[in-house]
Amino acid sequence: TTINADTSDGLKLTADASGEIELQSAGTTIATVNSTGLAMASGKTLTTNAPAFLAVSGANQSVTSGAITKVSINTEQFDTNSNYDTSTYRFTPTVEGYYQVSGMVKASGSLTASQVIIYKNGSIVVSGNYFIVTAQAALFNTVEGLIYMNGSSDYLELFGYVVGTSPVFTYTSIYNTSRFSAFLARAA
């Protein structure tokens, strides 16, 4: 069976007994669907507009003890859809759907408490564990969640909270620093 989106006659359906469905555009085969799955025609690809990004801090960031502070995640490792802004530290996906979002904050100083938080449109949407400790030199906090995004105006930001003497969101290397990432898990 052939389904052809023809440029002059519109949609054409041609039936046969092959057990396959051939998808065409203007008479050119794009893909074939049969009992084993979907096979793309030679030279054709199945593309998706699935935003994903990973960004990290590129330097130490001094913070105020006891203040919730936006983390300066300013170095992209990748950004498949150009939806992460390294100047505002915001992820604003352009595809509506459900996003798996993760964040980590590495802090140092003489720390007694810490937490990492994901904000959506300026409000808390997911909070990580709140740690209370006795004067630790460094703490790593993580947070993750599955968050619905409208694909137009919704945005996400990563914030950290630390209590202690001379707290810093610490940069050691791109593998040992604060990070923020997200990917489209399912379109809406």
Side-chain angles (χ1 to χ4, degrees), residues 128-153:
N129 290 337
Y130 181 75
F131 291 112
I132 300 174
V133 296
T134 305
Q136 294 294 310
L139 290 171
F140 291 87
N141 289 78
T142 60
V143 63
E144 65 178 300
L146 187 63
I147 302 169
Y148 169 77
M149 303 295 286
N150 67 12
S152 59
S153 60

Side-chain angles (χ1 to χ4, degrees), residues 28-49:
T28 302
T29 299
I30 297 169
T32 303
V33 181
N34 60 31
S35 62
T36 60
L38 174 71
M40 299 305 294
S42 178
K44 304 296 181 186
T45 58
L46 182 63
T47 59
T48 179
N49 189 15

Side-chain angles (χ1 to χ4, degrees), residues 61 63 68-72 88-90 157-160 169:
Q61 177 185 351
V63 296
I68 296 174
T69 305
K70 188 189 299 190
V71 186
S72 300
T88 62
Y89 319 124
R90 287 183 177 178
E157 301 166 298
L158 186 67
F159 283 76
F169 295 152

